[in-house]
């Protein structure tokens, strides 16, 4: 086996990934991975994004795959570099994001003998990947070229097919790692440019939801994160046609239409309303929303609950779902016997809508136009354009978006790393989304200070990759979320070990990483800064809003009290 063999096989492999539809890959520097990196870079149809830090590379690939819905490859050198991909691989598994991890390794004769930068990479990511394969490259023959093309297709379609997720291929590579002669032509691919192996998973015929009983009477639809960009609109249409209250997390894309009840998180904190509005039937779509009041309410219902999900995953921590349907809700034309959903009389929807309307007023009166964390979330939901993508960090940003985003037709697409709810890698994921959206709309990241500090190195993508991103930083100098938890009372350790204030000056971080920096003093200035930043095509701007953790807790409480008082 020569370097020519290795490069011929890897060229065919990358060519095949591109034929399947791969458009983006991430690289990180190293020696052992040289043949993989060069082969990816030399495949014209794959845009390769270079990273210094493998953890960032992994999360960047995750963001690009999330936005595009297509597999993205990541390659890195051997040793601890490969372990740095683990957080992104885990998130991809839980959030159903297709990734293809291509790790370089030493050949077998250099393992466990003290060779440098050599660790056990076999099945390194355990059950977090859908498939692991050790790719022993040998002579490049017509047979082996055909085999590696099918291997690339298998990796691609395994990552992409439902539920999507990460796959891991480990490549033992021998020296020499660069070519010493020009690479001969390869005609082993299909002549018409098609992938060597096509993959087709026909959608099931429009399913009937008969076995769960016919949804009728007091029905609600609960919609959570949906990985398909068009899923939310379909759900909203089903709800509108049936006149059913729609409790939709912004991550579902379904918070819109005439039956949307966007403020369910606040409404359901009213015990009287929650008790008086116990439904007879719950239709769930996608993941469970984050809202604790909603989750607790759903867990305590005796109503029949059916769950629609494109992959039929078993997401039901409270064990209350009685029927799972492996299909997106929007594809279900009718229920048992071809009958549509029969909603209760108009009064059922009207009372939900009246409560929602009252709460919306209470929120607006309480928040006013002061710059605050909830007001920022509400503002972005109100005026970000439909072509924009809002990437939302875990912790308070995702909760505030769920609690305060208004219902709106033509709102932005909302993405978040909610598979495992980590605060890690968020900056990189948002840049990955910006990369995959390079010809599309602007990407805005809503993030807390601890999450930004955690992935501060992700900002390097701004100057190195010239990617535009609008970073809206809610800086309350620590983890504001922990003030909402009982641990806030443990005053001997709370500040230092839980809230973790850091005093970082993010203006200097912005300068270090070549980003623009703004600190608006009013809501109007904030909007102006976000709009100016979104209009830029090559610059990243950090827009910092300073808040106070204690005041933020008090403000959330005031909103909840006002909401409670407003519901009659
Ligand atoms: C990788 C990871 N480490 C730790 C946590 C636990 N955690 C959840 S929220 C949070 C604090 C986040 O603070 P910040 O980003 O400033 O948001 P805020 O709570 O202030 O809104 C932490 C450490 C996590 N979710 N993920
Ligand atoms: Mg914070």
């Amino acid at each position: 086996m020569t370097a020519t063999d290795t490069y011929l096989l890897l060229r065919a492999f990358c060519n095949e990934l591109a034929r399947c539809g791969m458009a983006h890959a991430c690289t990180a520097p190293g020696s052992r991975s040289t043949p993989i990196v060069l082969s990816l870079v030399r495949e014209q149809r794959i845009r390769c994004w270079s990273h210094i830090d493998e953890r960032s590379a992994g999360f960047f690939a995750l963001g690009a795959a999330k936005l595009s819905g297509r597999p993205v490859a990541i390659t890195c050198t051997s040793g601890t570099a490969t372990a740095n991909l683990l957080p992104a691989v885990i998130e991809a598994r839980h959030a159903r994001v297709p990734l293809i991890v291509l790790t370089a390794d030493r050949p077998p004769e250099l393992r466990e003998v003290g060779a440098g930068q050599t660790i056990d990479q076999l099945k390194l990511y355990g059950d977090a990947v859908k498939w692991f394969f050790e790719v022993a490259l040998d002579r490049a023959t017509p047979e082996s070229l055909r085999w590696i093309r099918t291997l690339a297709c298998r990796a691609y379609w395994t990552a992409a097919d439902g539920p999507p997720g990460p796959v891991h291929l480990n490549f033992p590579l021998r020296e020499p790692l660069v070519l010493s002669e020009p690479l001969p032509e390869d005609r082993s691919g299909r002549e018409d440019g098609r992938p060597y192996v096509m993959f087709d998973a026909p959608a099931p015929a429009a399913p009937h939801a008969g076995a769960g009983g016919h949804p009728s009477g007091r029905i609600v639809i609960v919609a959570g994160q949906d990985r398909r960009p068009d899923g939310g609109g379909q759900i909203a249409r089903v709800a509108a046609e049936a006149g059913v209250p729609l409790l939709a997390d912004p991550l579902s894309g379904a918070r819109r239409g005439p039956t949307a009840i966007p403020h369910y998180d606040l409404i359901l904190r009213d015990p009287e309303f929650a008790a008086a509005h116990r439904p007879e039937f719950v239709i769930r779509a996608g993941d469970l929303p984050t809202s604790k009041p909603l989750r607790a309410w759903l867990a305590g219902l005796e109503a029949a609950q059916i769950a629609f999900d494109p992959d039929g995953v078993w997401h039901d921590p409270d064990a209350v779902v009685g029927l799972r349907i492996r299909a997106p809700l929007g594809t279900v034309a009718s229920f048992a016997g071809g009958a549509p959903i029969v909603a209760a009389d108009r009064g059922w929807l009207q009372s939900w809508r009246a409560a929602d309307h009252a709460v919306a007023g209470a929120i607006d009166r309480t928040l006013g136009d002061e710059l605050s964390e909830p007001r920022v979330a509400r503002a972005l939901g109100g005026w970000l354009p439909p072509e924009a993508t809002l990437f939302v960090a875990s912790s308070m940003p995702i909760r505030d978006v769920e609690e305060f985003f208004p219902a709106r037709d033509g709102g932005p697409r909302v993405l978040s790393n909610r598979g495992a709810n980590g605060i890690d890698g968020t900056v990189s994921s948002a840049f990955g989304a910006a990369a995959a959206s390079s010809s599309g709309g602007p990407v805005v990241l809503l993030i807390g200070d601890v999450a930004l500090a955690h992935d501060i190195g992700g900002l390097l993508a701004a100057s190195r990759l010239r990617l535009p991103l609008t970073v809206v930083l809610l800086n309350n100098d620590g983890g504001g979320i922990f003030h909402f938890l009982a641990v806030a009372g443990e005053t001997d350790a709370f500040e230092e070990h839980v809230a973790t204030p850091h005093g970082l000056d993010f203006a200097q971080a912005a300068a270090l990483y070549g980003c623009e920096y703004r600190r608006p003093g009013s809501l109007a200035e904030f909007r102006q800064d976000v709009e100016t930043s979104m209009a830029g095509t090559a610059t990243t701007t950090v827009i910092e809003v300073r808040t106070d953790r204690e005041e933020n807790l008090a403000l959330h409480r005031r909103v909840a009290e006002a909401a409670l008082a407003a519901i009659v």
Side-chain angles (χ1 to χ4, degrees):
M1 179 202 177
T2 63
T4 301
D5 287 314
T6 302
Y7 275 82
L8 268 172
L9 288 162
L10 285 172
R11 184 177 63 183
F13 179 83
C14 296
N15 176 261
E16 207 56 47
L17 290 177
R19 285 166 181 247
C20 288
M22 180 172 287
H24 298 279
C26 293
T27 68
S31 166
R32 191 60 50 167
S33 53
T34 301
I36 307 176
V37 171
L38 295 184
S39 302
L40 278 170
V41 168
R42 289 171 184 165
E43 170 50 58
Q44 300 290 316
R45 285 169 291 180
I46 299 178
R47 174 78 161 89
C48 287
W49 302 93
S50 153
H51 295 268
I52 286 176
D53 176 337
E54 291 80 11
R55 190 172 68 167
S56 287
F59 277 105
F60 185 101
L62 182 91
K66 194 174 270 243
L67 187 120
S68 66
R70 288 204 233 162
V72 172
I74 320 151
T75 189
C76 69
T77 193
S78 64
T80 54
T82 60
N84 276 282
L85 297 177
L86 180 62
V89 166
I90 290 174
E91 174 60 22
R93 176 61 175 209
H94 287 271
R96 300 183 246 172
V97 180
L99 292 184
I100 300 179
V101 178
L102 309 171
T103 51
D105 201 349
R106 310 273 150 153
E109 67 271 17
L110 290 179
R111 296 180 190 171
E112 302 206 15
V113 290
Q117 217 173 306
T118 311
I119 64 167
D120 184 359
Q121 296 177 193
L122 301 183
K123 302 207 170 177
L124 179 67
Y125 309 112
D127 286 344
V129 289
K130 293 176 70 182
W131 185 45
F132 167 80
F133 193 70
E134 166 91 337
V135 189
L137 302 178
D138 202 342
R139 299 251 333 276
T141 62
E143 292 75 25
S144 65
L145 284 163
R146 207 166 64 216
W147 164 76
I148 202 145
R149 284 186 181 276
T150 63
L151 185 79
C153 293
R154 184 167 176 189
Y156 189 93
W157 300 123
T158 302
D161 185 42
V167 302
H168 175 204
L169 305 188
N170 191 52
F171 291 80
L173 294 165
R174 284 198 182 86
E175 294 188 13
L177 297 165
V178 291
L179 285 168
S180 52
E181 55 186 9
L183 211 52
E185 271 202 39
D186 166 25
R187 297 195 180 280
S188 61
R190 300 236 183 245
E191 273 185 6
D192 55 4
R194 271 190 300 131
Y196 208 86
V197 186
M198 302 282 278
F199 187 84
D200 196 11
H208 289 271
H214 194 83
S216 60
R218 293 151 62 101
I219 311 168
V220 294
I221 296 177
V222 176
Q225 174 158 261
D226 193 316
R227 61 183 168 79
R228 300 157 324 117
D230 57 342
Q234 294 174 354
I235 293 169
R237 261 195 304 284
V238 170
E241 275 164 24
V244 170
L246 172 56
L247 283 47
D249 185 332
L251 291 170
S252 68
R255 189 173 277 194
R256 55 172 121 163
T259 68
I261 308 295
H263 304 108
Y264 57 81
D265 178 87
L266 284 162
I267 293 174
L268 291 172
R269 293 184 205 193
D270 178 347
E272 273 175 42
F273 183 95
H277 288 77
R278 296 166 76 85
E280 291 158 332
F281 213 102
V282 178
I283 300 170
R284 299 192 190 191
D287 291 342
L288 255 187
T290 302
S291 163
K292 270 193 190 159
L294 176 65
R295 285 180 174 223
W297 183 70
L298 288 172
L301 296 175
E302 270 136 40
Q305 302 205 27
I306 63 178
F308 286 85
D309 185 278
D311 311 309
V313 296
W314 289 68
H315 284 181
D316 179 21
D318 301 303
V320 289
V321 169
L323 173 67
R324 301 199 160 276
I325 299 172
R326 188 196 292 159
L329 172 56
T331 66
V332 178
S334 58
F335 283 76
I341 301 170
V342 183
D345 57 73
R346 298 285 297 166
W348 170 246
L349 174 62
Q350 287 314 337
S351 63
W352 279 94
R353 285 181 52 88
D356 197 75
H357 186 74
V359 167
I363 292 173
D364 289 333
R365 280 191 303 278
T366 313
L367 295 183
D369 277 342
E370 294 283 305
L371 264 182
S372 65
E373 296 183 31
R375 190 68 185 89
V376 163
R378 197 160 179 80
L380 293 173
W383 48 253
L384 279 183
E387 67 277 13
T389 297
L390 180 65
F391 207 103
V392 187
S394 287
S395 203
M396 288 311 285
I398 193 70
R399 287 178 172 75
D400 282 347
V401 162
E402 185 176 14
E403 193 172 336
F404 297 105
F405 238 53
R408 190 174 143 215
D409 291 338
R413 184 166 179 204
V414 184
L415 299 178
S416 183
N417 286 343
R418 293 304 282 169
N421 303 358
I423 57 160
D424 44 350
T426 318
V427 176
S428 300
S429 289
F431 272 115
S437 151
S438 27
S439 55
V443 178
V444 178
L445 168 65
L446 182 64
I447 188 168
D449 48 285
V450 176
L452 178 57
H454 205 292
D455 191 23
I456 197 79
L459 285 178
L460 193 53
S463 56
R464 274 199 83 234
L465 305 178
R466 291 190 198 291
L467 280 169
L469 181 69
T470 300
V471 181
V472 175
L473 163 63
L474 298 169
N475 183 3
N476 54 24
D477 196 19
I481 195 169
F482 298 120
H483 288 260
F484 292 76
L485 307 181
V487 68
E490 307 294 322
T491 47
D492 55 329
F494 178 73
E495 269 297 291
E496 184 180 353
H497 294 281
V498 183
T500 59
H502 43 74
L504 286 171
D505 179 355
F506 287 101
Q508 292 193 37
L512 177 65
Y513 287 105
C515 303
E516 301 276 323
Y517 174 82
R518 293 278 177 282
R519 195 167 150 197
S522 67
L523 194 62
E525 270 177 41
F526 171 71
R527 179 171 186 167
Q528 184 65 56
D529 287 341
V530 171
E531 285 179 347
T532 306
S533 171
M534 286 195 303
T537 50
T539 49
T540 286
T541 307
V542 176
I543 300 171
E544 177 170 357
V545 175
R546 288 269 179 94
T547 60
D548 178 274
R549 287 180 268 125
E550 294 286 358
E551 282 173 20
N552 184 49
L553 173 69
L555 179 60
H556 277 80
R557 290 205 171 135
R558 282 205 304 282
V559 170
E561 278 161 22
L564 212 60
I567 301 172
V568 280

